[in-house]
Amino acid sequence: MQSSSSSQPNLLPHFRSTLEQFASGPSTFLVLHTLPPTSEPQLPPSLKTLHVLDSSFNPPTRAHLRIALSALGSSAYPKPHRLLLLLATQNADKAPKPAAFEQRLAMMTLFAQDLLDEYSASSNTNTSGGEGNRDGLAVDIGVTKKPYYNDKAVAIEDSHQYAYENSDEQPQQVHLLGFDSLIRLLDCKYYPPDHNLAPLNPFFERHRVRATRRSQEGTNWGSSNDQVRYLRALATGGAENMGGKSEWATRIELVEGEVEDISSTKVREYAGRKNWDEVDKLVGKRTREWIEKEGLYLVAEGKD
């Protein structure tokens, strides 16, 4: 497989066109691209787990890569499994800048190639040899018009993209979040008009969350121990006065994160100064080549 982003010359026109069609159509969720490409893109007849990595991907980083690979390598979720990289064209907190959506989708595609390479290498390491990606992992690049996690989950289900053949049954979604995103998921301000957590009931009845701890201490999420205490508080009824349920804690897996401080904000800052050595530490090779080739983030921007 070629490692250079130059092997993807038609990404931008493809995504620009499909985004225009999506924006003008009635669908609230759509898969725009799948890797690896196959002549028969059908789902496994018994897909059990759909991992959903939902982010602004501005740009995708090695932190995203580790979150995804950690979940895909976990024995906690049944196989066959599949990964969906999801971009919301309407975000609850962020305007669509500095990279246009078609640029982000292009970088998500390159990111998916890097991820499949690493997943295949890991498969070879953990088996007796032979070809990697032995379980046939596929990665979808998708978009949604919904800004909130619970509505995104419904949009994915309503599309029937992942429904079993001749059945209404669908795989369980496992949403892969950083701890800061878990805080937002359980924040009442995102659920008008009553501004309580009751709208999350259907989400937690059907799906799961795998949240990666933030290793850096900060006012938004605290220390690693603070993050564990947050989940324990949920389990002991700490959110019941807001419409939450203690049993939701059993649907949330809190896992260790990496020590390094990796963020899309830092990538943009280093790319803006053309400090490619630092960018290389934070993103995959294909993504880094694309950022430089396209001249992305050359104007300093704000935070994620």
Side-chain angles (χ1 to χ4, degrees):
M1 178 181 291
Q2 290 182 317
S3 63
S4 173
S5 59
S6 63
S7 63
Q8 300 286 347
N10 299 315
L11 286 176
L12 290 180
H14 166 69
F15 285 129
R16 192 174 294 119
S17 172
T18 53
L19 277 172
E20 289 174 356
Q21 295 173 29
F22 177 65
S24 61
S27 299
T28 57
F29 166 75
L30 187 65
V31 171
L32 304 183
H33 193 59
T34 297
L35 291 166
T38 65
S39 58
E40 297 182 355
Q42 291 90 352
L43 297 174
S46 57
L47 183 67
K48 299 296 185 184
T49 303
L50 178 66
H51 295 286
V52 182
L53 182 55
D54 172 19
S55 178
S56 57
F57 295 108
N58 193 22
T61 69
R62 294 190 187 275
H64 294 116
L65 182 69
R66 289 167 184 168
I67 287 173
L69 289 174
S70 174
L72 292 167
S74 173
S75 61
Y77 312 109
K79 297 180 180 179
H81 61 180
R82 196 175 183 98
L83 175 63
L84 168 64
L85 303 179
L86 185 62
L87 177 67
T89 56
Q90 179 183 349
N91 191 291
D93 293 312
K94 305 169 189 176
K97 64 178 186 178
F101 287 135
E102 61 265 29
Q103 287 282 4
R104 299 189 204 183
L105 289 163
M107 288 187 287
M108 290 162 66
T109 302
L110 299 170
F111 168 86
Q113 292 177 324
D114 285 336
L115 184 146
L116 286 168
D117 284 351
E118 294 214 19
Y119 185 76
S120 295
S122 175
S123 296
N124 283 334
T125 299
N126 296 325
T127 61
S128 58
E131 293 298 321
N133 196 5
R134 298 169 72 90
D135 59 11
L137 176 69
V139 181
D140 294 322
I141 312 296
V143 289
T144 179
K145 296 172 184 173
K146 298 295 184 179
Y148 304 119
Y149 287 106
N150 57 323
D151 292 333
K152 292 171 184 177
V154 172
I156 292 169
E157 287 187 319
D158 287 349
S159 73
H160 294 282
Q161 176 74 32
Y162 301 102
Y164 300 161
E165 188 175 0
N166 302 319
S167 172
D168 290 332
E169 188 176 358
Q170 301 207 33
Q172 176 178 251
Q173 297 174 25
V174 178
H175 290 256
L176 311 179
L177 312 180
F179 186 81
D180 53 326
S181 295
L182 176 63
I183 295 290
R184 288 196 295 272
L185 173 67
L186 298 174
D187 190 331
C188 291
K189 77 176 185 179
Y190 295 112
Y191 306 105
D194 296 329
H195 294 285
N196 63 43
L197 299 179
L200 289 174
N201 275 318
F203 177 87
F204 280 111
E205 286 174 358
R206 296 182 59 81
H207 307 302
R208 304 183 69 90
V209 169
R210 180 183 171 95
T212 300
R213 294 189 213 177
R214 289 282 192 162
S215 58
Q216 303 81 32
E217 295 194 8
T219 57
N220 289 334
W221 48 81
S223 68
S224 181
N225 287 336
D226 290 332
Q227 294 166 48
V228 172
R229 283 193 288 269
Y230 177 87
L231 190 57
R232 287 177 181 165
L234 177 66
T236 55
E240 288 181 357
N241 64 330
M242 299 179 289
K245 294 184 177 181
S246 59
E247 54 262 37
W248 292 355
T250 66
R251 309 288 289 175
I252 300 171
E253 181 185 12
L254 191 59
V255 298
E256 288 288 349
E258 296 290 336
V259 175
E260 298 100 318
D261 182 10
I262 298 177
S263 71
S264 296
T265 299
K266 286 195 169 187
V267 177
R268 297 197 299 267
E269 290 172 352
Y270 286 130
R273 299 196 293 268
K274 298 185 179 181
N275 188 339
W276 302 117
D277 287 341
E278 292 299 322
V279 173
D280 281 334
K281 298 175 183 178
L282 304 178
V283 303
K285 180 179 180 180
R286 291 179 174 90
T287 302
R288 181 259 201 237
E289 290 175 345
W290 185 271
I291 291 171
E292 184 176 12
K293 179 175 74 73
E294 293 293 313
L296 301 180
Y297 311 124
L298 291 181
V299 178
E301 295 288 344
K303 296 182 179 180
D304 284 354

